[in-house]
Amino acid sequence: MSSSPLASVLFVCVHNAGRSQMAAGFLTHLAGDRIEVRSAGSIPGDQVNPSAVEAMQEIGVDISAAQPKILTTEAVQASDYVITMGCGDACPIFPGKKYLDWALEDPAGKGVEAVRPIRDEIKTRIEALIAEIDAKQEA
């Protein structure tokens, strides 16, 4: 097997502080270096949502060192999959990319109890995404 990643995935939400950070954390945790992972926001926040960090730590995924980043055209161009989570029309569209829009509740301002179901939904979607990427490689 080659050492280059099977695919590159960019997760985008408005503040890059909750949903996209949890998704990036899960994909990195579950796929390792098999899949290149990026996340960004159209209007990045100052820090990752502390409730998202806590909810992820509960299941052994540490995103405490993550920092919100601004969405760039280059990040989109460098990605095979662009997964948006409520960033509206701020995401640039390029041909040849696979775009998915995951309708997920925004965890901003919510406590860890309210973030857990969002976290669990993201994990389910990440597992399906990994299966899809793996299936494409085997085809």
Side-chain angles (χ1 to χ4, degrees), residues 11 15-26 28 37-40 44-50 52-54 56-57 61-70:
F11 297 102
H15 299 295
N16 189 219
R19 295 165 289 187
S20 57
Q21 293 287 359
M22 288 191 287
F26 270 129
T28 300
V37 181
R38 297 179 178 86
S39 71
D46 295 329
Q47 66 177 20
V48 175
N49 179 332
V53 172
E54 183 179 342
M56 294 296 282
Q57 281 178 329
V61 180
D62 184 4
I63 61 169
S64 63
Q67 291 294 317
K69 294 170 279 313
I70 186 74

Side-chain angles (χ1 to χ4, degrees), residues 4 14 16 19 26 30 32 34 36 38-39 42-43 51 60 66 72 79 82-83 88 91-93 108 127 130 134-135:
S4 62
V14 175
N16 189 219
R19 295 165 289 187
F26 270 129
L30 296 171
R34 296 183 319 117
E36 186 177 15
R38 297 179 178 86
S39 71
S42 51
I43 309 169
S51 294
T72 65
S79 301
V82 179
I83 300 174
C91 301
I93 305 292
E127 290 168 341
I130 292 169
D134 286 343

Side-chain angles (χ1 to χ4, degrees), residues 97-118:
K97 309 292 176 197
K98 177 155 187 177
Y99 290 88
L100 301 170
D101 185 51
W102 290 356
L104 296 162
E105 189 177 347
D106 188 348
K110 294 181 171 50
V112 72
E113 303 80 22
V115 173
R116 285 184 191 117
I118 302 167

